[in-house]
Amino acid sequence: MEMNTLLYVHKLSDEIIRLRRYLHQHPELSFEEYETSKFVYQQLSNIEGMQVEKGIGVVTSVVGTLTRGNGPTVAIRADMDALPILETTEHSFPSANSGVMHACGHDAHTAIALSVATIMGEIWRNSDIQGTVKFIFQPAEENTDESGKTGSPYLIEAGVLKDIDCIIALHMDPEYEVGTIRIHDGYSMANVDVFQAKIFGTGGHGAYPHLGTDPIWMLGPVLQALHGIVARNISPLDAAVVSIGEIKAGSASNIIPTEVYLQGTLRSYTPEVRIELEQRLEKAFSIVEAFGGSYELEILHGEPALYNSPLVNTTLKEVVSELYPTMNIIDIPFGLGGEDFSYMTKVVPGSMIFLGCSIPDGMKRDLHTPIFDIDERCLPIGTAILTQTLLNYLLGRAQLPQNYLNSENEAM
């Protein structure tokens, strides 16, 4: 059977757009993707030979599997949740759920993955291709539950990645127009950590500051030390951020408070810099002890840094060059944002690509903004790249990565 990926995608292009627009009109928040889950389940169930499961790890997750004989096991992951944002776009299919919006492209991710599943289902039906493909539709990438977890760790704990040789995902990229793709080896998105701290003094009457210790006064040198960590302690060659997002203290003009509360975020790429930031943070707060104060510091670890397998990226670059010879491949990191796909690439080798999607009218429509939108010409492109990558692995045209583990038992 002739497997002309671009021809398959061309025939399906209108349907890919229809799927994206339907999903865009029906956004649901993290852990609340009930109707989205039903929709995805039904779409997958319509594909002959597709084994469909739901509720793995999270009640709203959906996993579709095509399998036959012996061969590699490869997976596509798509996130499904939306954000608590009131949409202000001007297109004809805005969110019908007021205050909830697909402002990060998850509607596109899901539509593309469903379209890849449809094409692979047709190929499966009309060929004797061997191996296994999993389509993992993951809830709750954007937000955590009361346990502090996003969706990815729950699916991993439930065994969704068992026996998978490699996993691939894509993300919308509004920084670049259609015709550009970012593919970057190694650490490409950030470790995301939150720190919460309190500085304690005795407090006292505002007219008699010398009779007590003032935590607001102590805050000054602490802030200076915190903002100096990246500037003076971290190598300029390493990506890192320390940002303070909240400070609370006091209740009246003439009362020196007993404590000051701070909250902020730490961002880094490598495990070494992540540890260094934590150590420097501790030293910065310990300054208050020289002024008669004390402190408490808690660091809450969020998503780890996204590590993209260089070998998987080699295959992706070959596919892009094969299908779209004029496409601009940019080899730079994706920024200091977080992405919980990183949990998956710690367990099995994998990669996420960033697909150019900005509308060429000069307006910036950044992720997580009320005006975020995409140039829908990117949808068939993403579908073709993922489909051809799966085929190359299944047909033995691409080298499967070996699951090398580092000292922390993370896939590399």
Side-chain angles (χ1 to χ4, degrees), residues 166-344:
C166 72
I167 188 165
I168 304 160
L170 59 69
H171 201 292
M172 295 291 101
D173 189 350
E175 293 186 38
Y176 295 92
E177 292 183 13
V178 173
T180 298
I181 190 169
R182 279 195 278 180
I183 305 177
H184 181 71
D185 294 349
Y187 293 112
S188 304
M189 296 188 77
N191 298 300
V192 179
D193 301 318
V194 172
F195 69 88
Q196 297 173 340
K198 291 181 179 179
I199 299 172
F200 299 103
T202 62
H205 197 297
Y208 309 100
H210 58 292
L211 299 179
T213 54
D214 184 352
I216 292 181
W217 171 58
M218 300 174 202
L219 175 64
V222 169
L223 290 177
Q224 192 171 20
L226 290 175
H227 287 130
I229 290 173
V230 173
R232 288 296 176 265
N233 299 134
I234 304 299
S235 168
L237 301 178
D238 291 320
V241 165
V242 177
S243 289
I244 299 161
E246 183 178 16
I247 298 176
K248 292 180 179 179
S251 60
S253 63
N254 61 346
I255 300 173
I256 297 172
T258 59
E259 66 181 60
V260 175
Y261 171 82
L262 296 87
Q263 181 173 227
T265 189
L266 307 174
R267 302 294 171 105
S268 57
Y269 272 172
T270 68
E272 294 78 15
V273 173
R274 190 181 206 181
I275 293 170
E276 177 78 1
L277 288 177
E278 293 183 15
Q279 293 172 342
R280 294 291 181 177
L281 206 70
E282 191 79 39
K283 289 182 179 179
F285 279 100
S286 70
I287 290 172
V288 303
E289 295 173 346
F291 300 104
S294 61
Y295 70 96
E296 290 179 357
L297 173 63
E298 182 180 16
I299 297 175
L300 308 171
H301 290 149
E303 295 94 340
L306 171 67
Y307 185 87
N308 285 330
S309 164
L311 190 56
V312 176
N313 276 348
T314 296
T315 297
L316 286 162
K317 290 174 184 176
E318 290 171 351
V319 166
V320 171
S321 298
E322 174 189 353
L323 296 178
Y324 304 102
T326 62
M327 181 166 285
N328 184 21
I329 301 175
I330 300 179
D331 184 3
I332 59 173
F334 308 149
L336 286 167
E339 167 58 66
D340 85 341
F341 182 63
S342 60
Y343 288 108
M344 294 188 175

Side-chain angles (χ1 to χ4, degrees), residues 165-167 309 311-312 315 349-350 393 398-404 412:
D165 293 305
C166 72
I167 188 165
S309 164
L311 190 56
V312 176
T315 297
Y393 280 125
Q399 182 182 350
L400 283 166
Q402 296 185 36
N403 196 350
Y404 292 111
M412 300 296 285

